[in-house]
Amino acid sequence: GILRDVGDVSTLAALVAPRTLAVAGPVNSVGAALPAAELPTVFDFSRRVYQLAGAGEQLSVTAGTDDWLSRF
């Protein structure tokens, strides 16, 4: 998909700051679901950018897709 051609999702997510962003069920470059334990590391850059923008609470990253809407 296009995301693989233009950059990684963490960097693209940071570009959205400080707007609200929910990332639900992220996958790796081969389409496999990322384990929940890896999400803090994978989205560390995004989280830091959101925090620098004073909007740390506006970024939500969850491994599953079932409850992502309830975070807002």
Side-chain angles (χ1 to χ4, degrees), residues 22-26 33 36 39 60-72:
V23 179
L39 297 182
S60 173
V61 180
T62 182
T65 57
D66 296 337
D67 66 338
W68 71 272
L69 192 57
S70 66
R71 296 176 183 259
F72 294 95

Side-chain angles (χ1 to χ4, degrees), residues 20-49:
T20 300
L21 176 64
V23 179
V27 297
N28 63 19
S29 61
V30 294
L34 290 173
E38 291 183 22
L39 297 182
T41 301
V42 171
F43 285 90
D44 180 62
F45 177 74
S46 303
R47 177 75 54 205
R48 287 186 287 137
V49 170

